[in-house]
Amino acid sequence: YSSEVLLSAKQFNAIAKICLNNNRIEDDKPIYIVPGVVCAAFACELALKWLIFRSSGTEVRGHYLDKLYAMLGAKDKDKIRLFTQEFDQFMSRNMNLFIEARYHHEVSIFAFREQEILQFSDYLLSYIETECQGANNE
């Protein structure tokens, strides 16, 4: 489970970067916002699930980033909060982004927030790579 979840998180993050052109606007490169945001949000979800499994051995379900974050240990929470000074607001805006982006067409106004979710996905995976023992070997 652990290696599959982490590998999937990395793959969804890589596809999000391709879809969103790594958050760069270039005349000759298209940006695919919906699939990019969905992939970035899912990468965040999977990264959080990996962190939960690493510390507790529990395989969790669900798409809400705030609920997954709440299941983390104190050390992981403290490090992840460093992503932004306005972490609570960030989490509130993006807690259900994976589902909301997929069904954006069912509401009259929707903000994709592609830059911040891709940055958060990168941040989580960087945290796993640099600070979690054995992350590359699991």
Side-chain angles (χ1 to χ4, degrees):
Y1 173 87
S2 180
S3 61
E4 291 285 326
V5 169
L6 185 54
L7 178 60
S8 292
K10 290 176 181 180
Q11 291 175 347
F12 276 102
N13 187 60
I15 294 303
K17 286 181 176 185
I18 291 169
C19 289
L20 298 172
N21 196 29
N22 210 15
N23 280 333
R24 290 187 317 264
I25 297 173
E26 299 175 34
D27 289 338
D28 60 336
K29 298 257 184 156
I31 294 178
Y32 303 101
I33 292 179
V34 175
V37 169
V38 169
C39 287
F42 196 47
C44 293
E45 176 186 322
L46 293 172
L48 292 170
K49 287 178 178 182
W50 183 87
L51 287 165
I52 294 165
F53 184 81
R54 176 189 60 113
S55 63
S56 70
T58 303
E59 296 177 21
V60 296
R61 295 180 178 259
H63 298 295
Y64 286 85
L65 297 180
D66 61 332
K67 291 179 182 178
L68 294 170
Y69 173 78
M71 293 179 190
L72 295 172
K75 179 186 173 203
D76 288 334
K77 282 182 184 175
D78 290 345
K79 293 284 188 173
I80 291 169
R81 283 191 77 78
L82 296 175
F83 170 67
T84 178
Q85 290 181 335
E86 299 172 352
F87 187 78
D88 293 332
Q89 293 89 341
F90 163 81
M91 195 57 75
S92 179
R93 281 191 306 272
N94 293 288
M95 67 181 165
N96 194 23
L97 189 59
F98 177 68
I99 294 170
E100 290 174 343
R102 290 181 1 222
Y103 297 103
H104 71 280
H105 56 277
E106 295 179 358
V107 295
S108 58
I109 297 174
F110 182 77
F112 283 96
R113 300 175 297 277
E114 63 272 8
Q115 289 184 328
E116 70 180 11
I117 199 64
L118 185 57
Q119 289 169 349
F120 187 54
S121 177
D122 283 341
Y123 183 84
L124 288 172
L125 289 169
S126 176
Y127 169 67
I128 288 171
E129 297 261 339
T130 59
E131 299 202 29
C132 298
Q133 295 290 329
N136 294 326
N137 299 326
E138 296 193 29

